[in-house]
Amino acid sequence: MCQFMADIRTSLSDALRGALVAVGIDLPADFQVGLERPARREHGDWSSNAALAIAKGAGRNPRELAAELSAWLEENQPEHVAEVSVAGPGFVNFKLAPSWLHSVVADAVGAGVYGFGRQNLGEGRTVIVEFVSANPTGPVHAGHGRGAAYGDAVARLLEWCGHDVQREFYINDRGTQMELYGASLAALRAGEPVPEDGYNGQYIAEWASEMPADADARQWGRERALADQRDVLGSMAVAFDTWSSEQALVDSGAIDDTLAALDAAGASYEADGAFWLRSSDYGDDKDRVLIKSDGEYTYLLPDIAYHRDKLDRSGQEGLLINVWGADHHGYVARMKAAMAALGCDPSRLEVVVTQLVRLERDGEEVRLSKRTGDLIELQDVIHEVGADAARFTYLLQSMDTAPTFDLAKAAAQVMENPVFYVQMAHARVCSIAARAQADGVERQGINQVDLSLLVHERELEIMRQLSTLGEVIAAAAEERAPHRVTAWLRDFAAAVHSFYHDCYVVGSGIAPELTQARLMLIDAARVGLAVGLGTLGVNAPESM
């Protein structure tokens, strides 16, 4: 937690404890003073349910107790507290003086873009975030783009909050689809029709024309698809620490080891010529086939071996986060059941299922890519709107929604475009600093600047919102909800734009002391914008 946030919480908490003791309450040793920000600004800056939490055990009326606490606090006001009031059934609300917000500016400027809002919630805990994991049979499509932006943003947020994060891509390079893909490339390379149920599309023809005549089509095609996927994802600033191959997992003997472990745990059995997982014993709605009667593995068995491997690599306290597409929703229970059957805590596996994205341009749905024939490629989206706009747009809403991605709006350099709106706020504060430098303003250090001059409502709003960034980042990381940061950025950008229009920083009529204070404020705003954008993997440009 940021230092100023820790300080104000501690100050208010200690004051409430003192008030409770002063009015005759015998506090339990483990009593925690609850503090939160009211949903409505008119209720103050902070609110506590301490009276409600302790009243029953103390045999007191919570509203009356809250009134006693409020009266005592009014007479013994903690630092920065301007007003104490009672609301509802017994909440104690605090309205703070502007002075408490001035430390927000100092903290942001002091910590900078690499430190402001950082926290150590993870305490170094290992987290493996597996996302995208497209089959190596073609380009990544627009749907993969949402998972890519989301998975990478979750990883960045967890890193910002003190976790040791590994980004992982699972390569599904085994099975019928790989055989059909290789056969399709080989057929087109030889000038023959692709096999039934094979792969079509212009990209297959393009890649087949590149393939050497003596190449192993399946292996060459795998590497060609992965190279394309790496390039496109990389253009959106998404990179992976590990590319884990299903085929390599099979070849390593991990599947046989997993089968043996399931058998030893009594979690598998043979029936009807097939080999089954007793997944219904572990929360699934029915048992699942691991090996079919013809001896072929189902998709489930290698996936179980893969997750077992990931749990081993993540350590005793490690966490796995999978980002899967909407078609995998029914797969979650069986995988958790498999982990439980292997003796692993299923809560160490989290699965986020992303919903489909509807692409449109000028109100018309965009359906097909010319190159693939049956999907929209992610590279087409990036080429049209840019990597920053693609990432930000994908992250505007929760992953359990099915949003519409308006390509024309995302590409437009207008304030109605959310990413342009936020990036323009950053560019504007940079332009103010550049203007001051061009005008010969000699900047003072943070300890020399009188921040108490920052009392305009536009200034206070910037500081209020900036004070919440650490909390928003922590919540976004813990809830795996990057859209909370995009929402904060849009609100914060609005505050910055309002300040830009209403508060002059340099020029005639602005006292030098106020210029210095406002320059420090825009430095803090720049840090907040850059940190927020950075946790989403979006650039913070100095000009637009």
Side-chain angles (χ1 to χ4, degrees):
M1 182 179 293
C2 299
Q3 187 59 48
F4 67 87
M5 288 297 301
D7 289 346
I8 195 65
R9 280 182 177 273
T10 299
S11 177
L12 296 178
S13 177
D14 289 349
L16 278 163
R17 282 182 169 277
L20 285 163
V21 172
V23 300
I25 301 297
D26 185 15
L27 294 178
D30 60 349
F31 180 74
Q32 298 292 319
V33 174
L35 281 166
E36 61 182 21
R37 296 178 185 272
R40 297 169 61 181
R41 178 66 53 78
E42 60 266 28
H43 289 167
D45 296 290
W46 292 91
S47 180
S48 175
N49 68 344
L52 289 163
I54 202 73
K56 184 176 181 181
R60 304 285 293 273
N61 177 286
R63 174 83 185 189
E64 293 175 359
L65 177 58
E68 291 183 51
L69 296 177
S70 177
W72 189 90
L73 289 165
E74 282 283 4
E75 293 180 7
N76 302 271
Q77 284 190 350
E79 186 180 10
H80 303 305
V81 173
E83 180 184 322
V84 186
S85 61
V86 177
F91 292 98
V92 177
N93 293 338
F94 297 90
K95 183 177 181 180
L96 304 185
S99 57
W100 89 277
L101 290 170
H102 298 145
S103 59
V104 178
V105 175
D107 192 78
V109 172
V113 297
Y114 298 108
F116 184 61
R118 274 197 188 274
Q119 301 172 60
N120 192 30
L121 301 175
E123 298 181 326
R125 183 186 190 188
T126 298
V127 182
I128 297 177
V129 184
E130 184 236 312
F131 57 108
V132 183
S133 298
N135 292 342
T137 56
V140 284
H141 56 67
H144 292 133
R146 192 182 194 202
Y150 174 80
D152 190 59
V154 166
R156 288 169 184 264
L157 287 163
L158 290 169
E159 286 172 334
W160 203 256
C161 291
H163 292 82
D164 177 15
V165 180
Q166 299 291 310
R167 296 163 174 80
E168 187 150 330
F169 188 116
Y170 184 50
I171 308 170
N172 296 278
D173 54 356
R174 186 194 68 85
T176 302
Q177 294 306 310
M178 287 301 298
E179 298 300 330
L180 286 170
Y181 169 60
S184 300
L185 287 171
L188 289 179
R189 178 67 179 80
E192 300 172 357
V194 300
E196 186 178 357
D197 297 327
Y199 283 77
N200 290 285
Q202 187 179 338
Y203 83 94
I204 288 287
E206 291 174 0
W207 292 359
S209 69
E210 300 173 11
M211 186 173 67
D214 60 348
D216 178 328
R218 183 181 178 281
Q219 184 61 27
W220 185 92
R222 173 190 185 276
E223 298 307 317
R224 182 63 181 84
L226 288 175
D228 187 82
Q229 292 173 0
R230 282 191 181 96
D231 287 347
V232 174
L233 292 168
S235 72
M236 205 169 74
V238 175
F240 294 89
D241 302 294
T242 304
W243 294 73
S244 187
S245 163
E246 179 181 348
Q247 187 62 57
L249 192 75
V250 172
D251 295 342
S252 72
I255 289 184
D256 291 337
D257 291 345
T258 299
L259 282 170
L262 291 170
D263 182 58
S268 60
Y269 62 94
E270 290 187 57
D272 301 324
F275 204 76
W276 297 72
L277 174 69
R278 296 185 189 276
S279 45
S280 61
D281 289 352
Y282 301 92
D284 198 4
D285 60 348
K286 63 181 179 180
D287 292 348
R288 306 289 176 174
V289 177
L290 297 172
I291 303 177
K292 295 182 285 188
S293 58
D294 62 3
E296 285 291 315
Y297 298 151
T298 63
Y299 284 109
L300 180 60
L301 179 55
D303 282 352
I304 294 173
Y306 171 55
H307 282 78
R308 182 174 180 240
D309 173 68
K310 284 199 294 182
L311 284 168
D312 288 343
R313 286 189 278 122
S314 67
Q316 290 295 322
E317 300 298 324
L319 177 67
L320 310 184
I321 299 176
N322 291 345
V323 182
W324 288 346
D327 56 338
H328 286 77
H329 189 275
Y331 210 65
V332 177
R334 69 192 72 172
M335 188 55 63
K336 281 184 170 285
M339 295 301 97
L342 287 167
C344 302
D345 180 358
S347 69
R348 290 175 58 197
L349 170 62
E350 294 182 18
V351 180
V352 179
V353 176
T354 64
Q355 298 304 309
L356 298 175
V357 178
R358 180 182 186 273
L359 293 177
E360 69 174 33
R361 185 187 296 107
D362 298 323
E364 296 292 329
E365 185 172 3
V366 179
R367 292 182 176 273
L368 302 178
S369 165
K370 293 179 180 178
R371 205 165 74 107
T372 57
D374 59 354
L375 52 83
I376 301 298
E377 290 187 53
L378 177 58
Q379 71 171 3
D380 293 339
V381 175
I382 296 172
H383 288 162
E384 182 161 346
V385 308
D388 284 344
R391 287 188 70 126
F392 199 90
T393 304
Y394 278 126
L395 296 172
L396 283 173
Q397 298 183 36
S398 170
M399 290 299 109
D400 58 8
T401 64
T404 296
F405 188 134
D406 188 326
L407 294 167
K409 182 177 180 180
Q413 300 289 293
V414 296
M415 297 297 258
E416 289 73 26
N417 176 356
V419 68
F420 181 86
Y421 186 73
V422 173
Q423 289 182 320
M424 178 57 80
H426 185 270
R428 276 181 162 171
V429 296
C430 290
S431 73
I432 295 172
R435 163 75 186 281
Q437 183 177 20
D439 287 356
V441 176
E442 186 175 342
R443 298 292 302 273
Q444 296 177 348
I446 186 66
N447 294 327
Q448 299 171 292
V449 176
D450 184 5
L451 296 175
S452 69
L453 298 173
L454 301 174
V455 294
H456 191 285
E457 182 55 34
R458 299 303 191 197
E459 297 164 341
L460 295 174
E461 184 62 18
I462 285 178
M463 292 184 284
R464 286 191 197 103
Q465 294 203 32
L466 192 60
S467 75
T468 68
L469 178 56
E471 299 170 51
V472 170
I473 288 175
E478 291 181 340
E479 298 169 15
R480 323 300 185 225
H483 68 279
R484 294 191 59 148
V485 179
T486 58
W488 181 88
L489 282 165
R490 296 175 76 178
D491 289 342
F492 187 61
V496 171
H497 289 306
S498 294
F499 170 85
Y500 181 84
H501 287 298
D502 294 350
C503 299
Y504 289 101
V505 178
V506 293
S508 60
I510 307 299
E513 297 82 3
L514 183 57
T515 289
Q516 292 291 336
R518 285 180 171 174
L519 284 171
M520 203 60 67
L521 177 64
I522 64 152
D523 280 352
R526 177 186 59 80
V527 168
L529 288 164
V531 168
L533 287 166
T535 60
L536 302 180
V538 178
N539 289 303
E542 295 186 5
S543 62
M544 296 288 284

